[in-house]
Amino acid sequence: MAITRYEPWSLLNQLQRELLSSQDEKNNEGSIATAEWEPAVDIKEETDRFIIHADIPGVKPEDIDVSMEAGVLTVKGTKESTAKTENEGYKRVERTSGSFYRRFSLPDSANNEAISAKCKYGVLEIIIPKREAVKPKRINISSEE
């Protein structure tokens, strides 16, 4: 007896992905970003920086695009898929493939000019340094006499 994981919403999620992709093909606008999957992320704040870890196993670093615009960090890319059929011995395929897309709004304390990223063992690490805290400026008041 094979044990299978019950996921009641998987068919609805698949339907939604297909509708979005067909709608994108019809519109062919490119202004709406769609993705087949979203990488899981961990976001950590330290005293001097923010760190984002994104799980993207099987994605080559050259297939990842990290960009920053108007306070929004965007991570997108593509994971190549290989067609697997049941006659090849596959009974179930759960690993995701296709395009992925994630966006993160960064706080004002983030230093947008010094963001760095590296990928190792299928984990993308994005380091966002914080700006130095702005110290309050004392304003002298002169008296008019």
Side-chain angles (χ1 to χ4, degrees):
M1 177 176 164
I3 297 175
T4 59
R5 194 163 98 194
Y6 176 65
E7 295 180 22
W9 301 109
S10 64
L11 289 176
L12 289 176
N13 290 336
Q14 181 180 357
L15 176 64
Q16 181 183 15
R17 283 192 303 268
E18 289 176 9
L19 288 174
L20 287 173
S21 66
S22 67
Q23 180 183 9
D24 191 41
E25 289 171 6
K26 287 179 187 175
N27 293 339
N28 200 15
E29 293 175 359
S31 61
I32 300 172
T34 59
E36 278 90 10
W37 64 286
E38 290 184 344
V41 297
D42 294 335
I43 302 173
K44 180 180 180 183
E45 181 177 3
E46 295 179 349
T47 57
D48 60 340
R49 65 186 181 168
F50 299 97
I51 301 172
I52 298 175
H53 288 116
D55 288 342
I56 50 170
V59 180
K60 300 174 191 168
E62 57 267 15
D63 292 337
I64 305 168
D65 180 35
V66 179
S67 61
M68 175 70 187
E69 184 179 351
V72 178
L73 180 76
T74 303
V75 179
K76 62 183 176 177
T78 305
K79 180 178 178 182
E80 293 180 17
S81 64
T82 55
K84 296 176 174 84
T85 61
E86 191 168 325
N87 63 3
E88 293 176 24
Y90 289 96
K91 299 293 182 190
R92 184 177 182 117
V93 176
E94 290 185 347
R95 294 186 295 163
T96 57
S97 62
S99 63
F100 61 90
Y101 185 82
R102 290 293 302 256
R103 297 181 82 185
F104 305 95
S105 295
L106 298 181
D108 293 335
S109 62
N111 184 352
N112 302 341
E113 303 301 319
I115 296 173
S116 64
K118 63 181 176 181
C119 190
K120 187 174 183 180
Y121 300 120
V123 177
L124 175 67
E125 180 181 69
I126 303 170
I127 297 176
I128 307 151
K130 291 183 179 179
R131 298 180 193 273
E132 287 188 32
V134 178
K135 296 178 182 175
K137 181 181 176 184
R138 174 99 174 127
I139 299 173
N140 293 324
I141 302 171
S142 62
S143 62
E144 293 184 34
E145 288 185 34

